[in-house]
Amino acid sequence: MAKLKSVQSVRGMHDILPEDQTHWKFVYKKASVLLDDYGFGKIDTPIVESSGLFLRSVGEETDIVSKEMYSFKTRGGDELSLRPENTVGVARAYIEHGMSSWPHPVKLWYWGPMFRHDQPQAGRYRQFYQFGTEIFGDDNPAADAESIFVALTFLESLGFKNLTLKINSLGDSNCRPRYLKVLKEFLKSKTKQLCAPCKIRVKENILRVLDCKEESCQNVIKEAPQMIDHLDENCRSHFKKVIEFLDEVKAPYMLDPFLVRGLDYYSHTVFEIVLDETAKTVVPENEKTASGEAVFKGLTLVGGGRYDGLVSLLGGAKTPAVGWSAGIERIILAMKTLGLKVPDTKQQPRIFLAQLGDFAKRKSLVLFEDFRKAGISASTSLGRDSIKAQLRIANRLRVKFAVIIGHKEALDKTAILREMDSGIQEIIPMDSIIESVKKRLKG
Ligand code: AMP
């Protein structure tokens, strides 16, 4: 077998270590409680889907599909892909499980890893977690507003304050083609000023020119016709109502006429939530890492919009829908950089079990489980033989009591209960040790 060059994770993919889990658990808990309150049901879909599903829906010309998908052929000849996003998978599940016959709207949320063969950098990975919501079967602007409001509330519940909601309308299949024609004429007249990729985008995926960051393109985009001026009556009215809702809840929104998003299936409302420039990092200047700083360079925490055509595009009935997704790694990175506090939910042990000899160790393992069942968190170090070394650990853990079992105690069915501060020890029958410890911990 070929020897591994080095033992490390695949580029752009990373481990989430025990020390990081406090943040992950906190964010997950906030997400699940909030979405439960708002009536969303959780759905888990497979990490792998048919490649065709994404080609048809996200768009063959999009970066995600044309450059970033992890696709492979199985031994059985199926063309599959690791999911680059999850709206499409959830829409597939909506059709497959006949959810169109469920009471509407059908409100779902998901949490799980996504895969994009992107250029790894701070806040941008090849495997990353997204948490998101989808509302199916509601074409009312109130559903757009509710989605946005829930996303903002989620971020605020994590402690974020300096948020900006960028919002735009992409119109629908009625008015967008007319706008694209106008935009194409304009961009063709400026071809010389566009960067090489944008020259191709004009032909293949023209809206993406609008979010090109190249300076020469930016100068052109500033002058470009805007979708907002080409919305038909229906689309304008939808967008106006969304904005009225956002005014009502005092959402920190900003109209961004050039916000287009990277997926083809959006119609009407599109939005992103970013940290604005007033967000202050708590990391001192000399300790700033590239990864921390990148959070403030326009990386988006949440992105979403309305996608009324997706379900029918995948073969289901015409079903209006709206949703968003949030990048969890990015959110946690931002929380750490901003110094947002997370309560430490790790249970501190209240007692320590020390034991001498194999027989006592076996008894101790059973006793550990008895304490756990009684709701008393214990710590032990079964690998250590010296009682002195074990009591040193007990001291370090600052537990009030140690329960010590030697060979004699194991034979006599007793245990020594030691009060750590005073060093006073008592011999207690094994069958009443849990009760004795309980009483002393209360007292
Ligand atoms: P998108 O599915 O592209 O609309 O992205 C939604 C959210 O997922 C973004 O706002 C980010 O927070 C997060 N995200 C997208 N791509 C990545 C990536 N490559 N690495 C980490 N997070 C990402």
Side-chain angles (χ1 to χ4, degrees):
M1 210 201 273
K3 240 179 145 183
L4 281 175
K5 264 202 218 125
S6 61
V7 181
Q8 57 183 204
S9 65
V10 171
R11 192 160 125 81
M13 306 197 178
H14 53 264
D15 305 308
I16 306 167
L17 298 176
E19 70 210 39
D20 298 321
Q21 299 292 346
T22 318
H23 274 85
W24 280 79
K25 263 198 219 159
F26 177 72
V27 176
Y28 184 86
K29 198 159 176 209
K30 287 283 177 193
S32 53
V33 169
L34 179 72
L35 293 188
D36 214 24
D37 288 349
Y38 274 86
F40 287 78
K42 182 158 187 255
I43 181 164
D44 292 308
T45 61
I47 284 168
V48 174
E49 299 274 1
S50 296
S51 299
L53 194 73
F54 299 112
L55 298 184
R56 247 157 84 186
S57 52
V58 176
E60 285 188 55
E61 306 302 341
T62 59
D63 280 357
I64 291 180
V65 167
S66 66
K67 301 193 197 132
E68 297 171 5
M69 279 229 288
Y70 283 87
S71 300
F72 56 96
K73 200 171 187 162
T74 65
R75 285 163 199 264
D78 294 328
E79 304 273 0
L80 304 180
S81 295
L82 297 182
R83 59 184 184 191
E85 57 93 82
N86 207 26
T87 297
V88 171
V90 175
R92 193 255 321 123
Y94 174 87
I95 300 168
E96 186 172 334
H97 299 284
M99 294 187 202
S100 57
S101 64
W102 294 10
H104 274 55
V106 174
K107 295 164 81 175
L108 301 171
W109 72 280
Y110 61 83
W111 172 291
M114 309 296 152
F115 303 84
R116 293 183 194 172
H117 197 268
D118 208 343
Q119 210 41 47
Q121 49 181 280
R124 193 174 291 283
Y125 312 102
R126 290 182 172 172
Q127 175 178 325
F128 58 96
Y129 276 70
Q130 276 188 342
F131 145 60
T133 69
E134 316 292 353
I135 303 179
F136 292 97
D138 193 342
D139 61 3
N140 198 295
D144 309 39
E146 181 186 349
S147 294
I148 294 170
F149 185 64
V150 168
L152 280 168
T153 306
F154 163 63
L155 291 175
E156 282 163 7
S157 76
L158 300 178
F160 286 104
K161 287 197 178 74
N162 311 72
L163 300 168
T164 296
L165 166 70
K166 294 198 223 166
I167 189 163
N168 190 21
S169 172
L170 295 182
D172 66 5
S173 53
N174 262 333
C175 55
R176 194 168 356 157
R178 285 200 294 273
Y179 165 67
L180 295 184
K181 219 167 136 203
V182 176
L183 182 64
K184 195 167 210 162
E185 269 163 32
F186 171 81
L187 290 176
K188 272 189 169 166
S189 72
K190 308 277 178 194
T191 309
K192 278 199 197 132
Q193 287 155 263
L194 296 178
C195 68
C198 276
K199 286 191 174 106
I200 301 171
R201 285 185 192 123
V202 170
K203 291 187 201 125
E204 295 180 348
N205 191 7
I206 190 164
L207 279 179
R208 296 300 291 178
V209 175
L210 298 182
D211 64 4
C212 179
K213 301 286 173 278
E214 288 293 326
E215 202 185 327
S216 58
C217 296
Q218 280 287 318
N219 289 333
V220 173
I221 294 161
K222 272 196 295 215
E223 310 292 324
Q226 301 181 358
M227 182 70 232
I228 206 109
D229 297 323
H230 292 78
L231 296 175
D232 63 17
E233 200 36 51
N234 174 38
C235 291
R236 189 169 310 122
S237 152
H238 184 100
F239 194 48
K240 191 168 159 262
K241 284 180 186 154
V242 174
I243 297 296
E244 282 166 4
F245 272 111
L246 296 179
D247 279 330
E248 189 65 35
V249 296
K250 301 195 168 51
Y253 71 85
M254 182 192 102
L255 297 182
D256 180 347
F258 300 117
L259 181 69
V260 290
R261 318 255 316 116
L263 313 132
D264 271 5
Y265 52 62
Y266 286 113
S267 54
H268 288 290
T269 319
V270 284
F271 64 92
E272 288 185 349
I273 304 178
V274 298
L275 277 175
D276 65 32
E277 285 91 55
T278 61
K280 291 263 182 304
T281 154
V282 295
V283 184
E285 200 60 44
N286 58 351
E287 284 175 25
K288 271 180 193 163
T289 59
S291 58
E293 271 302 88
V295 172
F296 302 97
K297 294 197 178 127
L299 282 185
T300 312
L301 299 181
V302 169
R306 182 167 271 287
Y307 51 95
D308 290 347
L310 180 63
V311 175
S312 52
L313 189 71
L314 295 177
K318 201 169 175 299
T319 311
V322 57
W324 52 265
S325 65
I328 304 302
E329 283 85 351
R330 236 178 244 190
I331 284 174
I332 290 177
L333 185 61
M335 287 174 74
K336 287 184 178 170
T337 317
L338 292 170
L340 302 182
K341 292 274 175 291
V342 169
D344 189 357
T345 49
K346 218 172 103 214
Q347 263 203 346
Q348 284 305 317
R350 304 185 70 197
I351 59 158
F352 189 88
L353 295 187
Q355 58 293 123
L356 196 62
D358 287 345
F359 186 46
K361 277 191 211 304
R362 289 203 293 275
K363 294 281 163 212
S364 213
L365 198 56
V366 176
L367 193 59
F368 186 91
E369 179 57 13
D370 290 343
F371 273 116
R372 196 186 69 81
K373 279 190 191 138
I376 300 169
S377 55
S379 181
T380 187
S381 180
L382 284 172
R384 281 194 173 69
D385 284 325
S386 140
I387 287 286
K388 222 167 137 189
Q390 293 181 67
L391 290 181
R392 261 204 306 273
I393 300 175
N395 260 327
R396 226 180 297 136
L397 290 170
R398 309 177 78 87
V399 293
K400 261 180 133 176
F401 297 99
V403 175
I404 306 166
I405 310 174
H407 191 72
K408 180 175 179 303
E409 287 76 26
L411 282 174
D412 294 351
K413 296 192 174 57
T414 57
I416 301 169
L417 183 60
R418 177 185 175 97
E419 194 187 42
M420 292 303 293
D421 278 351
S422 63
I424 296 170
Q425 302 196 154
E426 271 177 83
I427 295 176
I428 312 245
M430 191 71 93
D431 55 11
S432 61
I433 185 79
I434 304 255
E435 277 317 304
S436 305
V437 169
K438 243 189 201 167
K439 229 183 272 160
R440 284 171 176 76
L441 284 173
K442 261 192 206 145

